Amino acid sequence: MLAVAGCGAKEKSKGASSKNYSIAISQIVEHPSLDATREGFLDALKDAGIVDGENLKVDFNNAQGDSANNLSIAQKIASGKYDLALGIATPSALAIAQNVKDIPVLFAAVTDPLKANIVSSLDKPGGNVSGASDTNPEAITQLMDFIASNFTNVKTVGVVINEGEENAVIMTDLAEKALAAHNIKLVRAAVANTSEVKQAAESLVGRADAIYITLDNTVVTAVDSIIQIANDKHIPFFSSDRDTVEKGAFATVGFKYYDHGYQVGQMAVDILKNGKKPADMKVTVPDKLDLILNLKAAAAQGITVTDAMKGQVKDQDNNIIQ
């Protein structure tokens, strides 16, 4: 799917730059976290006077989770005329980094840009690529510690995972290591595509005391089916992003993807308006971590939310979802 934002004959926004810009965005699939990332990115540009439909033309491309589409989009961007390209999620970011060499490239919602071979250094990326990782390994450790401390009956955690997504494998390995420190076992239910997610989640019933998912694009796209199973079978369901908790997972340790995207948008502003080079821009990670709880999901999954659990939430007004 290809949508190109046109330049309408609007009155210029206050503070808008007199220069015109063109950027390309490739996003592996549409789901709330990635969409919020894109929204934050564009709002950071807007706040700096680079306004979609006025002095900014946005070529947004959704690969719909298809690897062939993803590569085709990257190749199209490489042959086009843009001032900057953004890859949202690891597959899209990697395809753009491998194919687009003549313009600045930024990435967002990437779990481990080093292991994914998107950059060779986090502090000095070099080349034409930089951006922001959406994973602070400490978030995974904190969530697994929360499970171990508050769910003493949990001896096995089941993970629905597409092993073909490098980001999902990395996060699952981190979770497995953190759980092992508490003598909790992790079991994997593998999927190759979104249509297999429900069956994989059902296979965990009776094998796992809780369910956890990573920032796995294949799985998150079909997360409603996992929520339904968790609710029907009263299985605590933990996720790696706030948006999934808002939809019906019980808890995560995370942040707002809008803020993540905004951070990358500020990097884009530095490149477009201030002439900075991605090679010299440090790759950032989320630093505003907090426990996020969904009380309605807790009730649906048969979870008793204690004062001790609530006490671990720093920003209770925003991160305890009623």
Side-chain angles (χ1 to χ4, degrees):
M1 182 175 76
L2 170 62
V4 181
C7 295
K10 302 177 183 176
E11 182 181 347
K12 279 194 174 292
S13 294
K14 185 178 179 180
S17 169
S18 59
K19 181 177 177 180
N20 292 321
Y21 301 91
S22 178
I23 66 172
I25 300 176
S26 178
Q27 184 171 313
I28 190 61
V29 71
E30 288 188 282
H31 68 62
S33 294
L34 302 187
D35 295 343
T37 298
R38 187 176 76 250
E39 180 186 355
F41 176 83
L42 292 173
D43 279 356
L45 293 174
K46 181 179 179 180
D47 289 347
I50 303 175
V51 185
D52 184 16
E54 294 185 6
N55 60 347
L56 172 65
K57 183 178 180 180
V58 179
D59 178 4
F60 169 62
N61 305 267
N62 170 20
Q64 298 179 326
D66 184 272
S67 58
N69 287 346
N70 188 48
L71 176 58
S72 177
I73 289 167
Q75 292 171 338
K76 186 202 77 166
I77 293 172
S79 63
K81 293 184 178 180
Y82 304 97
D83 298 299
L84 182 143
L86 170 69
I88 301 178
T90 301
S92 293
L94 180 59
I96 290 180
Q98 290 176 335
N99 287 275
V100 180
K101 302 297 183 182
D102 298 330
I103 61 171
V105 171
L106 291 175
F107 58 81
V110 170
T111 298
D112 192 329
L114 285 177
K115 286 190 177 180
N117 294 317
I118 295 172
V119 295
S120 58
S121 168
L122 298 181
D123 290 330
K124 288 281 188 178
N128 65 321
V129 182
S130 188
S133 169
D134 63 352
T135 300
N136 183 331
E138 187 59 29
I140 298 173
T141 300
Q142 288 180 19
L143 182 59
M144 299 307 120
D145 289 347
F146 174 80
I147 294 171
S149 298
N150 295 281
F151 294 81
T152 54
N153 63 317
V154 171
K155 305 302 179 185
T156 303
V157 173
V159 178
V160 181
I161 178 175
N162 177 3
E163 300 276 4
E165 287 201 30
E166 180 71 17
N167 54 310
V169 174
I170 292 167
M171 294 183 72
T172 301
D173 289 347
L174 287 170
E176 186 169 33
K177 181 179 179 181
L179 289 170
H182 299 286
N183 295 316
I184 298 174
K185 184 180 178 182
L186 183 144
V187 295
R188 306 181 190 216
V191 300
N193 54 60
T194 298
S195 66
E196 297 176 355
V197 169
K198 182 178 180 181
Q199 184 178 357
E202 288 173 337
S203 77
L204 292 172
V205 177
R207 292 199 298 142
D209 305 308
I211 298 174
Y212 165 67
I213 63 169
T214 68
L215 301 173
D216 186 322
N217 297 296
T218 302
V219 176
V220 173
T221 302
V223 74
D224 287 345
S225 61
I226 303 178
I227 293 169
Q228 180 182 347
I229 292 164
N231 292 348
D232 289 347
K233 302 298 182 180
H234 282 190
I235 302 173
F237 176 34
F238 302 89
S239 71
S240 295
D241 66 293
R242 179 190 181 91
D243 296 294
T244 300
V245 172
E246 290 179 350
K247 290 190 75 173
F250 167 56
T252 190
V253 172
F255 56 93
K256 291 184 178 180
Y257 268 83
Y258 175 90
D259 294 340
H260 172 69
Y262 196 95
Q263 185 178 36
V264 182
Q266 290 177 314
M267 297 175 74
V269 170
D270 264 345
I271 292 169
L272 296 173
K273 297 188 75 172
N274 303 325
K276 287 198 174 181
K277 304 294 183 184
D280 303 320
M281 303 177 81
K282 182 178 180 179
V283 175
T284 61
V285 297
D287 56 4
K288 296 179 180 179
L289 298 176
D290 196 4
L291 178 66
I292 303 165
L293 304 177
N294 182 330
L295 302 189
K296 286 185 178 179
Q301 293 161 26
I303 300 167
T304 300
V305 181
T306 65
D307 288 340
M309 291 182 188
K310 293 179 182 178
Q312 294 182 53
V313 181
K314 300 170 188 172
D315 183 358
Q316 297 194 6
D317 289 339
N318 290 309
N319 292 335
I320 295 181
I321 302 166
Q322 304 287 343

